[in-house]
Each structure stands twice: as structure tokens, then as C-alpha cells.
Amino acid sequence: MSNWDLMMPGMGLTAIGLAGIVISYAGIAHTFIDGMHALTGLTMFIGLIFLAVGILDGGVSTSNKAKATTLVILSIGLGFGMFAFTFNTSDFTVTLAGILMAIAFPAIMIAYIASKMPQYLKPVGSITAMAGATGIIMWVAFGFVSPDTYMIQEQSVEIEVPDVVVEPAGPIFTISVLEGSSVQDTPDYDPDVANVPKGHIVEWINNDTLAHTVTSFDDVGETFDSSLFGAGESFTLDTSTLDIGEYEYFCIVHPWMVSTLIIEEVEDIPTVVIPDGAGIIQDGQIYYDPDVITVSVGSTVVWDNIDSVFHTITSGTPDGGLDGLFDSSIVSAGETFSYTFDEAGSIDYYCIVHPWMIGTVIVE
């Protein structure tokens, strides 16, 4: 015949265990470990309830079996307690132990009086409750008037600092998401294989009518991922955060759109210096240094204004005017302007503000 004295607490503890496992795996406790923590706390409190009921129902047993069981439980409790105080790095261990002792001692005292001297239970319970309330009141009261405001936190004024968006700096390399690229077997990204020096900013411009993504292929977006960007929108990637090498990427929405981004070692960037005094016509003055520079197709030329006044770098000639290829607008003292030459040819440029400043870029 079944022993219901053992089965009933067993069923209760099993139900608690199932509840803890459900909490652990359902994500309610965020992680499995958090769920196990909750389960151990529930089990401890249920065990305390059974213990209190057993003591109040029949009193404290003095049999050898009860003494042995008590000794084992005390050994386990003291062992883990010493371990907790010795190795635990939490700042609240001592506080938690104090709270548990403050609860346990009155509870043990009241339980003992209830079993041995029930006629004194009511006054002792009242005295304990009043003492606890008095202690709490004094604790809070001294927190208001003592030099160390251990209970009352000083009010802090929160100042909202607006998020500052730092735009990546560097030469721009443009890749176009072509119109109609959502149709399979049609051209998608242009160029399909992009060789970009490390440190350049790659900008994908969506010239299609549908939304697309630019997503690293091997790790499905761990390296870079644009998320969806619609028609006319763009996505930029700072290549200074990438390692030298080859990166295949694709569109998650249209997975047949696959292209390659190759990050290359940075070569010496061709630089033209606008020297001090370039804004004044005088014999022997250098206006662009060098005034004629030869680069290869795909190279980026940087103009560095070290003069004390502003200038422009504008493709065209003073007589013929602007040809529309590039225009820096105003480049102030200490600023730079860069342009990437994708086609071979000889390109003249000048400063609109100081039209005697003339230079040439030869692209081979």
C-alpha cells in the first residue's frame, strides 16, 4: 500500500521541479541558470513550510533518527554557508544572511513557544511584531538625520546628452544597385567586383524601385549588413574596420544578387598640395604642387589646402568654364578634397576664386 505521508510531499516537490524546468526552458527566466536559481529558492521555502508544520504538529522529536537527520542537515547548511561567505564575491551576502537570521530567530522562538507554552503565543507575537516595526522605523528615521544617508539616496539630475552621429571620413567608393536587379539573371551590383583600398568609404546607392540589402555572405550579416534600404536610399560601409581580403555579399530579399568586395592594401595616395600664398599672383609662386600629376585608372587624388585662404578644385578651364566632372566647392584652410578617377584621360582643373590657379590630372 502506498505511503501517502511520503507521496504527498514528493508530488509537491516534483510539481515545483517541473515548474522550475518550464520557467528555465520557456525563456521566462531569460536563461536556464536563472530558472534553476528560482527553483532552488522555491524548494527551500517549501521545505521550510514542511519543517514548520512538522514541528508545530508534533513538537521537536528527540529520537536518534531525528538527531542524525538534524546533524546531517546542519553539516550541509554550515558547509555551504561557510563556502558562501568565503568564496562569494557578492556585496550583499552578509546583508542577505542578516535578513535571514532576523526572520529565522523570531520564527523559531514563536514556533517553540507555540508548541510548549501556547498561552504566551499571542503576547510574544505582538511584542515581536512591535519590535520589528520599531526597528524599521528607527532605521529609516536615522537615515534622514544621520550624516551618512545610508537609506536616502541623493537625488541626481540626469542630463540628456544627444547622440552624436560621427560620419565616417575617407574617400567615397560608389557601388550602384542597378534598376531591375530584383529579376534573376540580370545585372545587380555595379561594379560586380569592387577593389577598394582599405580606409575608403563604400557607398551602395539603390537605383532600383524595390528594397534591397547588402549583407556579408559567409556569416550572413555578421561582418556587415545594411538591413533593408529602399529606392533612392544608400548604405555606407567604413572599410577601415575590415581586414584585407575578399568579402562576398548578397541581397537577403533577392539571394541571387551576389557580388564581391575586395579590400586591398592602401597604396600611397596621390596628393596635390595647395601651398601658402597660392591665392596671390606673383613670380615663382606655385599654385598646385604638383600642377600636373599622373595616376592610374581607379586612383583617388587628394588636394590638401595648406594655404591661409579658401580655394576650389573645379574641373574645367578659366576660359571654357566648368565641365561638370567634379567640383569641390569651397575648401577652407586646413581642409582636403578627394576625387576618384574611373576613366582614362587628361583632366584640367582650376580654382574658381583664383582662376590663375590651374592644374592637370593625367589618368592612364
Side-chain angles (χ1 to χ4, degrees), residues 218-279:
D218 290 338
D219 52 15
V220 195
E222 288 293 328
T223 304
F224 58 86
D225 181 28
S226 65
S227 300
L228 282 174
F229 62 108
E233 297 179 343
S234 63
F235 165 66
T236 57
L237 175 67
D238 187 357
T239 60
S240 62
T241 62
L242 300 179
D243 295 329
I244 302 298
E246 186 173 308
Y247 298 88
E248 198 171 37
Y249 65 92
F250 73 115
C251 173
I252 291 180
V253 184
H254 312 98
W256 52 84
M257 295 174 57
V258 180
S259 290
T260 305
L261 174 67
I262 300 176
I263 306 300
E264 301 176 332
E265 291 283 358
V266 179
E267 300 177 356
D268 292 336
I269 299 177
T271 303
V272 177
V273 175
I274 302 175
D276 187 32

Side-chain angles (χ1 to χ4, degrees), residues 47 61 90 106 144 150 167 169-170 246 257 259 273 294 307 335-336:
S61 176
S90 174
F144 278 103
Y150 56 86
E167 295 292 338
E246 186 173 308
M257 295 174 57
S259 290
V273 175
T294 302
D307 196 6
E335 295 182 345
T336 61

Side-chain angles (χ1 to χ4, degrees), residues 15-199:
I16 295 170
L18 289 174
I21 292 174
V22 170
I23 291 173
S24 302
Y25 282 106
I28 299 173
H30 302 295
T31 66
F32 180 81
I33 299 300
D34 290 340
M36 289 296 101
H37 290 168
L39 176 59
T40 55
L42 282 173
T43 307
M44 182 186 72
F45 283 111
I46 294 298
L48 289 174
I49 291 172
F50 276 111
L51 179 62
V53 170
I55 292 174
L56 294 176
D57 182 50
V60 178
S61 176
T62 57
S63 65
N64 291 332
K65 184 184 293 184
K67 292 177 181 178
T69 304
T70 303
L71 181 62
V72 171
I73 294 174
L74 286 175
S75 301
I76 295 172
L78 290 173
F80 278 97
M82 290 299 296
F83 180 84
F85 275 103
T86 306
F87 295 98
N88 196 351
T89 58
S90 174
D91 296 332
F92 302 101
T93 303
V94 176
T95 304
L96 178 60
I99 293 173
L100 290 175
M101 290 172 65
I103 296 172
F105 285 157
I108 293 171
M109 182 181 68
I110 293 173
Y112 180 79
I113 293 174
S115 61
K116 298 296 183 180
M117 296 173 286
Q119 67 272 21
Y120 299 116
L121 177 62
K122 187 173 182 179
V124 169
S126 303
I127 293 170
T128 304
M130 288 188 291
T134 303
I136 294 172
I137 294 171
M138 295 300 293
W139 178 272
V140 176
F142 278 113
F144 278 103
V145 299
S146 67
D148 182 14
T149 55
Y150 56 86
M151 286 292 291
I152 311 303
Q153 297 291 333
E154 294 182 1
Q155 292 185 351
S156 57
V157 179
E158 294 184 359
I159 302 175
E160 292 186 2
V161 179
D163 294 334
V164 178
V165 179
V166 179
E167 295 292 338
I172 304 294
F173 188 99
T174 303
I175 300 176
S176 176
V177 182
L178 298 175
E179 184 177 0
S181 57
S182 59
V183 180
Q184 194 167 358
D185 298 327
T186 60
D188 39 40
Y189 300 102
D190 184 30
D192 190 55
V193 178
N195 296 79
V196 181
K198 183 180 175 69

